[in-house]
């Protein structure tokens, strides 16, 4: 990018985001926090960090892990809102699309907790907030008695994400199949945003489309993995999302692969050749979580590379938002683990480093 082409507003925005990124906890700091192994010590540590104001407020209403979880969650919402508010012009539209991903994650977690009839307290612990799905709103929604009540609340909160749920609610009630609602959300967010942004000439739009397509690929691989023993192969193929980077032909051949070896052979010639062997191992073990974590690592790696090579791109925002989100998940995990006296080595394995 030539110097004359650099938008001074973007220079200022990305400089602010990089400054915010510098205040994130390092992996060493997170491990030291875990090693404290006392909630009081963790609380004091956070009271001398960027979470100070939020934790001080939360301590007026909650105690221990509840206060920490509430504080870091509200801090995440406030931070994401700050990022969006500072964005301008067309970049604001792209930032809003990316940040809505975390609302999507929160909505899916909320639907799962209601589907499995978890207690409100357990649900609150399991649901991370999004940019606009706040802690207070989550507390209200988890108290609702039925999925119909939850969906009605989500429509009132955000028609963009809520309407696909409302349109598919009757089928969910009839089948008790949660994927009906999850698929509707994925099509609304990932597929429609790729269609909306495809063809735009600016680099930020192109990069965001690439990111969304990788997410579509991840979702499709998970659908194929989870449906391997499903005799209704036509239903599986119907669930696959369009507009990813893996072609329909590749997806159909993956669906027809009868062994882990054949599935790995199908994936090997694609851009995901490095995931062919992990796919083979995951299929042998019957667990997709490891492959999904590798996929997420690949997403973050591409974002990080873009942020380094184009320091005025949307990747700077994307990288910081993802790292901030992971930090909040880690702090919630540490607080809960210490309050329940879980083995520290086991907790350390669950921490997310990126």
């Amino acid at each position: 990018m030539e110097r004359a082409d650099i938008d001074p507003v973007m220079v200022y925005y990305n400089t602010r985001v990089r400054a915010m990124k510098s205040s994130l906890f390092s992996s060493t700091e997170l491990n030291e926090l875990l090693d404290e192994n006392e909630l009081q010590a963790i609380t004091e540590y956070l009271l001398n960090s960027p979470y100070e104001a939020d934790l001080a407020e939360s301590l007026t209403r909650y105690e221990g892990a509840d206060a920490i979880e509430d504080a870091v969650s509200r801090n995440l919402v406030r931070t994401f809102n700050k990022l969006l508010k500072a964005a301008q012009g067309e970049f604001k539209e792209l930032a809003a699309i990316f940040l809505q991903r975390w609302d999507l994650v929160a909505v899916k977690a909320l639907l799962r907790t209601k589907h499995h009839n978890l207690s409100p307290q357990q649900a609150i612990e399991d649901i991370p907030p999004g940019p606009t799905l706040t802690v207070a709103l989550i507390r209200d929604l988890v108290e609702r008695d039925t999925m119909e009540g939850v969906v009605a609340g989500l429509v009132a909160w955000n028609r963009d994400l809520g309407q696909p749920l409302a349109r598919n609610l009757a089928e969910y009630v009839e089948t008790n199949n949660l994927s009906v609602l999850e698929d509707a959300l994925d099509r609304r967010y990932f597929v429609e945003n790729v269609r909306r942004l495809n063809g735009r000439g600016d680099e930020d739009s192109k990069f965001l489309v690439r990111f969304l397509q990788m997410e579509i690929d991840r979702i499709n691989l998970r659908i194929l993995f989870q449906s391997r023993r499903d005799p209704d192969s036509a239903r599986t193929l119907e669930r696959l999302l369009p507009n990813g980077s893996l072609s329909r032909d590749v997806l159909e051949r993956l669906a027809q692969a009868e062994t882990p070896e054949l599935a790995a052979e199908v994936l090997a010639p694609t851009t995901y050749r490095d995931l062919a062997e992990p796919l083979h191992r995951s299929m042998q073990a019957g667990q997709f979580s490891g492959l999904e974590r590798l996929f997420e690592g690949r997403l973050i790696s591409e974002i990080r590379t873009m942020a380094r090579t184009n320091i005025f791109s949307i990747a700077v925002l994307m990288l910081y938002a993802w790292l901030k989100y992971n930090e909040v998940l880690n702090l919630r995990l540490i607080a809960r683990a210490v309050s329940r006296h879980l083995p520290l080595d086991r907790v350390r394995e669950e921490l997310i480093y990126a």
Side-chain angles (χ1 to χ4, degrees):
M1 182 182 291
E2 294 296 327
R3 193 73 198 173
D5 295 332
I6 298 176
D7 183 352
V9 174
M10 283 301 299
V11 172
Y12 176 71
Y13 183 88
N14 280 9
T15 299
R16 288 183 62 186
V17 173
R18 288 177 184 278
M20 293 166 69
K21 180 174 175 288
S22 68
S23 69
L24 294 174
F25 292 159
S26 66
S27 58
T28 299
E29 289 172 313
L30 286 172
N31 277 284
E32 289 175 350
L33 198 59
L34 179 59
D35 288 335
E36 293 284 355
N37 206 20
E38 292 288 343
L39 277 178
Q40 185 57 41
I42 295 172
T43 299
E44 291 175 0
Y45 191 98
L46 293 177
L47 283 171
N48 290 283
S49 77
Y51 294 94
E52 176 186 5
D54 297 286
L55 184 52
E57 180 179 340
S58 295
L59 285 169
T60 65
R61 297 193 297 265
Y62 306 103
E63 297 179 347
D66 289 336
I68 293 173
E69 190 166 71
D70 181 73
V72 299
S73 297
R74 285 190 299 102
N75 180 273
L76 180 68
V77 172
R78 188 164 56 81
T79 300
F80 278 2
N81 286 335
K82 180 179 178 181
L83 291 171
L84 189 55
K85 185 176 180 180
Q88 297 184 25
E90 293 183 1
F91 180 77
K92 190 181 189 77
E93 176 192 4
L94 300 180
I97 290 173
F98 175 72
L99 292 175
Q100 192 179 51
R101 177 194 190 273
W102 307 112
D103 276 333
L104 182 75
V105 171
V107 170
K108 285 185 175 182
L110 176 62
L111 296 176
R112 284 193 296 270
T113 60
K114 182 54 62 177
H115 177 74
H116 295 294
N117 292 315
L118 299 184
S119 69
Q121 180 58 38
Q122 182 63 53
I124 290 169
E125 294 177 18
D126 290 346
I127 302 171
T132 63
L133 191 62
T134 63
V135 177
L137 183 54
I138 288 172
R139 290 183 184 277
D140 170 68
L141 292 172
V142 298
E143 294 284 352
R144 302 196 176 199
D145 294 331
T146 64
M147 186 67 85
E148 290 89 339
V150 170
V151 170
L154 290 171
V155 172
W157 156 70
N158 185 324
R159 292 182 64 84
D160 190 43
L161 291 179
Q163 285 286 18
L165 299 176
R167 286 195 296 269
N168 290 273
L169 183 59
E171 183 179 353
Y172 165 79
V173 172
E174 179 182 350
T175 63
N176 196 38
N177 184 353
L178 185 60
S179 68
V180 169
L181 299 181
E182 293 180 326
D183 291 354
L185 281 173
D186 288 336
R187 287 179 182 276
R188 168 61 197 92
Y189 176 74
F190 294 108
V191 176
E192 290 191 20
N193 277 321
V194 168
R195 287 173 178 161
R196 177 179 172 186
L197 298 176
N198 245 338
R200 294 192 183 184
D202 64 286
E203 291 303 312
D204 282 342
S205 294
K206 290 178 182 178
F207 185 73
L208 186 53
V209 166
R210 167 64 181 152
F211 165 80
L212 294 170
Q213 288 179 321
M214 289 182 69
E215 290 271 53
I216 290 173
D217 294 337
R218 174 184 59 80
I219 292 167
N220 283 338
L221 286 176
R222 186 178 67 235
I223 290 172
L224 291 173
F225 186 93
Q226 294 174 340
S227 304
R228 282 185 57 76
R229 293 176 178 83
D230 186 352
D232 188 358
S233 58
R235 165 62 181 161
T236 297
L237 293 176
E238 286 177 4
R239 289 185 60 198
L240 296 176
L241 305 181
N243 294 348
S245 64
L246 291 175
S247 70
R248 182 72 180 188
D249 176 64
V250 167
L251 293 172
E252 289 181 357
R253 286 191 288 125
L254 281 170
Q256 296 163 3
E258 296 181 353
T259 66
E261 290 79 9
L262 289 174
E265 287 179 12
V266 173
L267 197 62
T270 72
T271 57
Y272 300 110
R273 61 184 63 87
D274 56 314
L275 296 181
E277 182 57 32
L279 173 66
H280 180 273
R281 292 196 301 268
S282 291
M283 292 177 69
Q284 285 185 319
Q287 294 181 336
F288 189 72
S289 57
L291 184 64
E292 193 142 38
R293 199 152 182 173
L294 286 174
F295 218 106
E296 182 171 304
R298 170 124 179 227
L299 280 167
I300 295 175
S301 178
E302 292 214 7
I303 294 171
R304 179 177 277 112
T305 298
M306 180 68 168
R308 286 173 177 169
T309 57
N310 192 338
I311 61 174
F312 303 113
S313 71
I314 192 174
V316 175
L317 161 68
M318 294 169 69
L319 179 60
Y320 169 71
W322 205 308
L323 296 180
K324 176 67 177 181
Y325 183 82
N326 284 350
E327 177 176 278
V328 167
L329 293 186
N330 285 333
L331 292 173
R332 286 165 54 118
L333 173 62
I334 289 171
R336 286 293 165 195
V338 170
S339 71
R340 291 168 182 165
H341 308 289
L342 298 180
L344 298 189
D345 287 343
R346 196 175 94 191
V347 178
R348 218 179 301 277
E349 291 176 358
E350 296 297 320
L351 293 178
I352 305 169
Y353 304 117

